[in-house]
């Protein structure tokens, strides 16, 4: 059976709705905390998934495991080994591929639709067309050299990129369950307040839009997995 390793940067940002399509594609899934990756063979998994987290790729002082992670992901990306990055995970991929990670113009929290590029419309991200998805970030990535820009929002120009067997996403197509969003609102209450976002608005949008967002996310990941070489 193929092996998928999910790197979790914090305990409340799991694989969530992306788990089902990955398992259905024949992968045995194992999760590991980023801080426990000492000696990890980055080339070994058939699929690597890098999840989100509140830290930054620039936080080497408080996250000493971050530079080795970026170095390991760089080796994997250079070899075009199947890799998916979500939010912070997409930023790790971008940094590993020699692209900048910088502050977003605004802290983007809540549901908003994606604007797909022409390449995005022809990619598995087509499932997100006209479907608002959850956003939760204060930094963003530049599009790496040789990668294709797939999506944007009004608040953030770069929401997704691909290159070969690599897919980096800024948005959270895996999260839409009210219980999971409630955990994020609780654990990130200061972050949300600092963005001027009303938690009740996020709750209402989750109830209205969350199920559709994760349905689209599952379909997109299922189709992406089928394209891997």
């Amino acid at each position: 059976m193929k092996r998928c390793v999910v790197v979790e940067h914090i305990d409340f940002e799991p694989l969530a709705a992306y788990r089902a399509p990955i398992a259905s594609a024949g992968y045995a899934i194992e999760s590991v905390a980023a801080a426990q990756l000492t000696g990890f063979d980055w080339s070994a998994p058939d699929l690597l998934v890098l999840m989100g987290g509140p830290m930054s790729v620039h936080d080497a002082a408080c996250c000493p495991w971050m530079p080795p992670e970026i170095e390991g992901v760089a080796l994997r990306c250079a070899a075009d080994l199947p890799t998916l990055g979500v939010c912070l995970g997409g930023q790790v991929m971008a940094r590993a591929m020699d692209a900048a990670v910088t502050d977003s113009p605004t802290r983007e929290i809540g549901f908003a639709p994606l604007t797909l590029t022409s390449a995005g419309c022809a990619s598995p991200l087509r499932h997100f067309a006209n479907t608002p998805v959850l956003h939760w970030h204060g930094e963003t990535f530049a599009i790496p050299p040789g990668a294709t820009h797939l999506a944007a929002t009004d608040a953030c120009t770069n929401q997704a990129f691909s290159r070969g067997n690599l897919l980096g996403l800024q948005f959270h197509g895996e999260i839409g369950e009210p219980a999971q969003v409630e955990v994020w609102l609780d654990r990130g209450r200061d972050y949300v307040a600092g963005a001027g976002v009303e938690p009740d608005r996020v709750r209402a949008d989750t109830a209205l839009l969350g199920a559709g967002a994760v349905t689209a996310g599952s379909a997109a990941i299922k189709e992406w997995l089928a394209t891997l070489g």
Side-chain angles (χ1 to χ4, degrees):
M1 180 174 280
K2 296 177 290 185
R3 177 184 177 220
C4 170
V5 173
V6 181
V7 176
E8 295 184 348
H9 294 101
I10 200 161
D11 60 359
F12 59 88
E13 298 207 25
L15 191 57
Y18 289 165
R19 176 173 293 274
I22 292 173
S24 294
Y27 291 88
I29 301 170
E30 57 188 86
S31 298
V32 60
Q36 298 175 352
L37 286 170
T38 302
F40 181 66
D41 182 357
W42 291 92
S43 66
D46 298 290
L47 173 65
L48 182 73
V49 184
L50 306 165
M51 299 308 300
M55 61 288 293
S56 168
V57 298
H58 306 296
D59 285 345
C62 63
C63 303
W65 41 264
M66 182 64 77
E69 178 178 338
I70 293 171
E71 291 174 7
V73 173
L75 294 174
R76 188 174 177 89
C77 291
D80 195 32
L81 298 176
T83 305
L84 169 66
V86 179
C87 200
L88 173 63
Q91 294 167 9
V92 169
M93 288 179 66
R95 189 69 194 91
M97 297 164 72
D98 296 322
V101 175
T102 58
D103 288 340
S104 296
T106 60
R107 192 179 297 178
E108 193 175 20
I109 297 174
F111 283 81
L114 298 171
T115 299
L116 301 179
T117 65
S118 57
C121 290
S123 80
L125 268 61
R126 65 187 178 85
H127 293 281
F128 290 108
N130 304 312
T131 301
V133 295
L134 184 64
H135 304 269
W136 204 290
H137 66 101
E139 292 188 318
T140 187
F141 47 66
I143 302 301
T148 300
H149 182 206
L150 300 177
T153 59
D154 290 344
C156 182
T157 301
N158 298 328
Q159 285 283 350
F161 66 83
S162 66
R163 192 181 80 189
N165 290 318
L166 313 175
L167 179 63
L169 308 176
Q170 185 60 72
F171 61 92
H172 290 279
E174 82 284 10
I175 297 293
E177 293 292 332
Q180 182 65 60
V181 174
E182 196 62 40
V183 171
W184 286 21
L185 288 169
D186 177 60
R187 297 286 290 270
R189 62 171 64 91
D190 292 340
Y191 187 79
V192 173
V197 173
E198 290 293 334
D200 283 346
R201 173 61 184 273
V202 179
R203 292 185 180 102
D205 284 349
T206 300
L208 181 65
L209 304 169
V214 298
T215 296
S218 296
I221 295 305
K222 178 181 178 179
E223 184 173 324
W224 176 71
L225 291 168
T227 71
L228 298 178

